[in-house]
């Protein structure tokens, strides 16, 4: 029963941890020990009749070690769930009458206590919101546990057949002048049109309950609201415009909307890449999530009355967070509602309104010759556990076919395309099968796709998309930092500048305001230009080859890397508390150089420990023991908690 509790806890907890920021491998190992020891303490207290308070949790030995605990742990947990769940009962009966509810809440509280979080507040709501979905998923799949774990990136992907080590790629695959060759744009006509400028807003996560002066450290994932402070001896005081430990005050969100027009001399469109509810997942209700979606669209309508806003569906708009599965009535009603609310801010045909209602996507011309495709990336998000059922389903195939057909249509009409999603196609958040499909598709349409954008990570970075038959860079996925401070960054907004004639990307302007400065000055913050990408990073243009060149220059230019890593944290200063050593830097750059997670993982394996003179594992090991990559740490940190717990009981 303890295994079940930790699985449920970790899945619910994940939606919070995924945005918590890179912590480093040492932090991950600490969490493994804490969760494993907590579960062992629970087991001892119940099996031996020992008072849990008399057990020194830190003295508990956690049993065997394993080179890939996340993978082994995932399989063991799924097998245990299958064994423990009484499928003679309905899911509700198994949860309420079978005693699983009480047991999972108890072990959840023990585990959270070990990391100094208030399980008495968070566990009941998180367990109630997630448990029955997880039981349903396991009951309704025919997949073996190994395949499920691989699909959801609990296990490292096998080495791709088209993977080539970096050295051989750089030496053999690129023409000598390819990387640093400026791109020559073809003009669409003789007359040169004015630049096309659009603003991207990402991950608002505003908290309607945010209260200035409330505690910022109250033992919960997010605080900054007085009703969350009861019965604790907390600390900190929430500022007027936000705090690095909290979600966004509504006044900050509205301030950004009011200031958008002043950021740029002209503005042609606004793109919002999704995620507006806060991270207080134990407080979530279906009505609350829907209400947040309506409130955001109403704010866009009110404060940007003369601007077109192109929305995209995030994972936090769902109830519960992350769980997108079309047959669910809650998902269908969410799509029904947003198909009514999104047309408040963007003019859509009845066909596109029905596309939103059907499966959360739409396409529309921004202007003559330029099309936006807003597609549903929840099908590629590994922490949508319903993707165990979605993969290969008619629902996922429909979502893919929409993207394929929309790109094919754009080609027949000689249109350029802007791809808008919420989740990046790479990193450990992205399923390997989805990432491979999307990468190959965009490579085949790289002559049409002039811009790709998303958010989700709350960080400032990018993925280069390659044709892996040649390893040449063909496209770039731009990932924007968030408006929310959650994840310890400064509230941000981004402007893309496209050539008005060719629609090629000319510049990226990154804006933000300093939360600490706003608080120190006790005044309205000032949104300022942080950098222009081409100038700041010394790029000849913003072609895929130039982005690849930037990533490669970071490998040998530590100053350049540190500039990018500082921007990764939106210059909040919190990167200084998360130092990036040589291995971290290598893996970080692998994430920039690849948009497929399987290739990123194997790129990470090429790191050579200079202190030991270790071999290049991709050259010497044919069947290596899989070890967790440090890329995508924010994802892995939660998965590894599950594994550590299972190993403690095995």
């Amino acid at each position: 029963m303890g295994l079940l509790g930790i699985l449920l806890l970790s899945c619910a907890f994940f939606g919070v941890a995924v945005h918590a920021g890179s912590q480093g491998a040492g932090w991950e190992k600490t969490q493994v020990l804490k969760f494993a020891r907590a579960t062992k303490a629970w087991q001892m207290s119940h099996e031996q009749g020992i008072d849990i308070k008399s057990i020194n949790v830190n003295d508990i030995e956690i049993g065997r070690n394993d080179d890939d605990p996340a993978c082994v742990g995932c399989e063991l947990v799924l097998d245990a769930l299958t064994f423990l769940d009484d499928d003679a009962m309905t899911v509700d009966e198994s949860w309420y009458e079978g005693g699983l509810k009480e047991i999972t809440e108890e072990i959840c509280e023990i585990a959270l206590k070990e990391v100094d979080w208030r399980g008495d507040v968070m566990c009941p709501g998180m367990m109630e919101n997630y448990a029955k979905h997880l039981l349903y998923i396991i009951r309704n799949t025919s997949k073996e546990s190994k395949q499920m774990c691989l699909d959801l990136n609990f296990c490292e992907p096998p080495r791709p057949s088209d993977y080539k080590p970096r050295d051989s790629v750089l030496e053999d695959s690129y023409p000598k002048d390819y990387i640093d060759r400026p791109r020559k744009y073809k003009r669409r006509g003789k007359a040169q049109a004015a630049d096309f400028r659009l603003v991207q807003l990402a991950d608002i996560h505003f908290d309607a309950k945010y209260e200035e002066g409330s505690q910022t450290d109250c033992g919960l994932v997010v605080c900054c609201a007085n009703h969350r402070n009861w019965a604790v001896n907390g600390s900190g005081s929430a500022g007027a415009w936000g705090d690095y430990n909290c979600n966004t005050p509504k006044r900050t969100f509205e301030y950004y909307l009011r200031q958008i027009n002043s950021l740029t001399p002209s503005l042609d469109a606004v793109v919002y890449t999704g995620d507006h509810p806060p991270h207080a997942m134990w407080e979530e209700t279906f009505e609350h999530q829907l209400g947040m979606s309506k409130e955001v669209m109403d704010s866009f309508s009110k404060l940007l009355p003369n601007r077109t806003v192109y929305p995209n569906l995030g994972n936090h708009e769902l109830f519960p967070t992350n769980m997108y599965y079309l047959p669910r009535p809650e998902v269908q009603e969410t799509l029904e509602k947003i198909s009514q609310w999104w047309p408040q801010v963007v003019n859509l045909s009845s066909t596109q309104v029905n596309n939103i209602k059907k499966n959360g996507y739409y396409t529309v011309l921004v202007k003559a010759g330029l099309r936006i495709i807003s597609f549903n990336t929840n099908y590629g998000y590994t922490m949508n556990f319903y993707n165990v059922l979605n993969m290969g389903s008619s629902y996922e195939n429909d979502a893919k076919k929409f993207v394929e057909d929309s790109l094919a249509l754009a080609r027949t009409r000689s249109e350029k395309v802007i791809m808008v999603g919420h989740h990046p196609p790479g990193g450990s958040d992205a399923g390997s099968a989805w990432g491979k499909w999307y990468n190959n598709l965009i490579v085949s349409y790289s002559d049409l796709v002039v811009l790709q954008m998303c958010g989700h990570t709350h960080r400032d970075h990018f993925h280069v998309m390659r044709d892996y038959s040649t390893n040449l860079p063909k496209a770039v996925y731009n990932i924007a930092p968030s408006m929310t401070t959650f994840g310890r960054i400064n509230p941000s907004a981004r402007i893309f500048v496209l050539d008005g004639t060719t629609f090629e990307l000319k510049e990226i302007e990154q804006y933000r305001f300093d939360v600490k400065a706003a608080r120190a000055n006790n005044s309205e913050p000032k949104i300022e230009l942080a950098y222009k990408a081409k100038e700041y990073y010394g790029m000849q243009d913003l072609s895929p080859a130039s982005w690849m060149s930037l990533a490669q220059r970071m490998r040998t230019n530590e100053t350049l890397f540190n500039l990018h890593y500082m921007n990764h944290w939106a210059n909040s200063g919190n990167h200084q508390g998360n130092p990036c050593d040589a291995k971290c830097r290598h893996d970080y750059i692998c994430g920039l150089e690849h948009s497929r997670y399987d290739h990123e993982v194997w790129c990470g394996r090429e790191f050579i420990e200079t202190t030991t003179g270790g071999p290049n594992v991709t050259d010497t090991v044919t069947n290596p023991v899989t070890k967790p990559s440090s890329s995508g740490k924010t994802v892995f940190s939660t998965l590894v908690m599950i594994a550590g717990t299972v190993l403690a009981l095995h």
Side-chain angles (χ1 to χ4, degrees):
M1 294 294 190
L3 297 177
L4 177 61
I6 282 295
L7 178 67
L8 299 175
L9 165 65
S10 300
C11 294
F13 176 71
F14 183 83
V16 175
V18 69
H19 296 311
S22 179
Q23 300 289 341
W27 182 86
E28 294 171 355
K29 292 177 181 177
T30 300
Q31 304 317 304
V32 172
L33 294 174
K34 287 180 179 178
F35 273 73
R37 288 168 177 158
T39 308
K40 192 74 172 181
W42 178 87
Q43 184 186 35
M44 289 170 59
S45 67
H46 283 266
E47 290 184 353
Q48 302 176 26
I50 303 172
D51 184 354
I52 186 66
K53 295 179 181 179
S54 68
I55 300 175
N56 187 337
V57 176
N58 291 323
D59 289 341
I60 294 176
E61 297 293 333
I62 63 166
R64 80 180 201 190
N65 185 26
D66 194 283
D67 285 321
D68 190 7
C71 187
V72 174
C74 175
E75 290 185 63
L76 291 173
V77 167
L78 292 177
D79 290 342
L81 277 170
T82 303
F83 176 76
L84 294 170
D85 180 31
D86 186 352
D87 57 11
M89 296 181 173
T90 66
V91 168
D92 279 354
E93 289 170 346
S94 184
W95 175 244
Y96 292 111
E97 299 173 20
L100 297 183
K101 180 178 184 296
E102 291 78 9
I103 293 171
T104 56
E105 288 180 9
E106 180 181 3
I107 198 167
C108 173
E109 290 186 27
I110 294 171
L112 289 188
K113 183 179 179 181
E114 279 303 293
V115 290
D116 297 321
W117 280 356
R118 297 167 61 198
D120 60 323
V121 176
M122 292 191 289
C123 291
M126 289 195 297
M127 297 300 98
E128 183 67 25
N129 284 344
Y130 284 87
K132 289 175 284 187
H133 295 286
L134 295 166
L135 292 176
Y136 177 88
I137 291 166
I138 291 172
R139 286 187 180 194
N140 286 276
T141 183
S142 59
K143 293 181 179 179
E144 297 292 333
S145 57
K146 175 70 174 181
Q147 186 60 50
M148 293 169 64
C149 296
L150 186 63
D151 288 346
L152 297 174
N153 286 353
F154 280 70
C155 302
E156 279 192 353
R159 176 171 175 160
S161 59
D162 54 0
Y163 181 79
K164 297 178 182 178
R166 286 191 73 256
D167 290 344
S168 66
V169 169
L170 296 176
E171 186 176 321
D172 300 330
S173 297
Y174 296 126
K176 291 182 180 179
D177 65 339
Y178 185 89
I179 289 296
D180 295 310
R181 180 174 60 209
R183 174 178 288 185
K184 295 180 179 180
Y185 303 135
K186 294 181 179 180
R187 299 293 178 189
R188 295 169 61 86
K190 293 182 180 180
Q192 174 62 37
D195 288 340
F196 184 86
R197 304 174 71 87
L198 60 88
V199 172
Q200 180 188 0
L201 300 177
D203 299 87
I204 296 168
H205 290 291
F206 87 78
D207 190 346
K209 298 176 181 179
Y210 186 102
E211 295 174 271
E212 183 180 355
S214 60
Q215 295 174 359
T216 59
D217 182 2
C218 67
L220 305 177
V221 173
V222 287
C223 301
C224 294
N226 286 323
H227 80 279
R228 297 174 187 147
N229 298 341
W230 57 271
V232 296
N233 184 23
S235 62
S237 176
W241 298 96
D243 186 275
Y244 291 139
N245 292 324
C246 301
N247 283 146
T248 313
K250 189 175 182 181
R251 68 186 300 181
T252 298
F253 164 48
E254 293 183 338
Y255 174 72
Y256 255 99
L257 296 189
R258 288 194 299 269
Q259 295 298 311
I260 277 178
N261 290 323
S262 65
L263 297 182
T264 177
S266 63
L267 176 60
D268 297 287
V270 177
V271 174
Y272 170 50
T273 49
D275 264 15
H276 35 263
H279 291 83
M281 297 166 64
W282 62 96
E283 296 178 356
E284 284 183 2
T285 65
F286 181 47
E287 293 72 23
H288 175 265
Q289 302 301 88
L290 281 182
M292 295 292 289
S293 289
K294 186 175 191 308
E295 191 167 358
V296 166
M297 291 305 118
D298 288 346
S299 295
F300 282 136
S301 297
K302 175 184 175 182
L303 299 174
L304 295 173
N306 300 315
R307 301 297 181 194
T308 300
V309 181
Y310 299 92
N312 185 263
L313 181 64
N315 53 290
H316 275 263
E317 281 82 280
L318 306 170
F319 176 77
T321 288
N322 302 341
M323 299 293 104
Y324 186 92
Y325 183 53
L326 201 54
R328 291 185 55 224
E330 295 92 340
V331 171
Q332 293 177 17
E333 186 170 347
T334 297
L335 296 178
E336 172 71 34
K337 293 297 185 183
I338 65 173
S339 73
Q340 299 171 20
W341 298 330
W342 286 5
Q344 293 177 220
V345 297
V346 56
N347 185 24
L348 297 171
S349 68
S350 58
T351 297
Q352 300 309 321
V353 171
N354 285 333
N355 278 338
I356 298 170
K357 187 187 306 184
K358 179 183 179 184
N359 209 349
Y361 50 66
Y362 66 92
T363 182
V364 64
L365 278 178
V366 181
K367 60 181 298 185
L370 183 62
R371 175 175 297 279
I372 273 182
I373 299 176
S374 179
F375 64 114
N376 190 345
T377 59
N378 285 290
Y379 283 105
Y381 182 36
T382 52
M383 289 302 104
N384 174 18
F385 289 96
Y386 272 105
N387 280 338
V388 168
L389 305 181
N390 283 329
M391 292 182 68
S393 69
S394 59
Y395 320 120
E396 183 194 48
N397 290 339
D398 169 75
K400 288 181 175 180
K401 188 174 186 299
F402 165 76
V403 179
E404 294 164 355
D405 290 350
S406 297
L407 285 167
L409 177 65
R411 172 156 286 163
T412 64
R413 296 180 177 180
S414 299
E415 297 167 345
K416 298 297 184 181
V417 173
I418 298 173
M419 300 296 297
V420 177
H422 176 70
H423 306 89
S428 55
D429 274 5
S432 291
W434 174 273
K436 182 176 181 179
W437 162 78
Y438 185 77
N439 185 88
N440 292 346
L441 181 67
I442 295 302
V443 164
S444 66
Y445 284 97
S446 59
D447 57 322
L448 269 65
V449 177
V450 294
L451 177 62
Q452 299 178 86
M453 64 175 77
C454 72
H456 179 68
T457 68
H458 297 196
R459 296 288 184 263
D460 183 340
H461 53 131
F462 61 89
H463 292 311
V464 175
M465 308 187 81
R466 306 195 205 185
D467 177 352
Y468 282 104
S469 65
T470 63
N471 269 295
L472 293 178
K474 289 294 185 179
V476 176
Y477 213 102
N478 299 280
I479 307 165
S482 61
M483 182 182 290
T484 186
T485 51
F486 191 76
R488 307 188 68 77
I489 76 163
N490 284 315
S492 304
R494 174 171 287 184
I495 293 179
F496 294 96
V497 183
L498 277 61
D499 184 286
T501 303
T502 66
F503 301 128
E504 296 287 345
L505 180 61
K506 292 176 62 175
E507 189 57 277
I508 297 175
E509 300 174 356
Q510 187 62 55
Y511 293 82
R512 54 185 176 239
F513 75 72
D514 190 318
V515 169
K516 290 178 292 187
R519 180 167 190 148
N521 298 333
N522 195 27
S523 61
E524 185 173 85
K526 183 179 181 181
I527 301 175
E528 296 180 311
L529 175 65
Y531 66 84
K532 293 184 178 181
K534 189 166 66 172
E535 172 187 348
Y536 189 83
Y537 292 121
M539 303 168 73
Q540 295 193 48
D541 56 29
L542 297 184
S543 65
S546 290
W547 287 104
M548 179 63 84
S549 174
L550 172 61
Q552 292 174 356
R553 284 187 286 130
M554 286 187 212
R555 289 196 177 274
T556 56
N557 187 331
E558 188 171 356
T559 300
L560 180 63
F561 172 81
N562 288 335
L563 287 174
H564 195 274
Y565 194 61
M566 176 189 69
N567 285 326
H568 187 73
W569 290 83
N571 198 24
S572 64
N574 290 301
H575 65 288
Q576 297 171 352
N578 293 268
C580 198
D581 61 14
K583 172 60 174 167
C584 163
R585 178 173 159 187
H586 173 84
D587 290 347
Y588 179 92
I589 296 172
C590 284
L592 304 180
E593 292 178 336
H594 294 278
S595 69
R596 278 177 51 183
Y597 178 59
D598 52 356
H599 278 259
E600 178 187 338
V601 167
W602 285 86
C603 173
R605 287 175 169 276
E606 294 187 43
F607 179 75
I608 302 174
E609 283 287 357
T610 55
T611 55
T612 62
N616 184 321
V617 297
T618 59
D619 292 335
T620 60
V621 181
T622 55
N623 293 299
V625 176
T626 54
K627 295 185 179 181
S629 166
S630 63
S631 60
K633 291 184 180 68
T634 54
V635 176
F636 182 71
S637 61
T638 300
L639 308 187
V640 85
M641 292 176 187
I642 301 172
T645 299
V646 174
L647 295 174
L649 297 179
H650 183 65

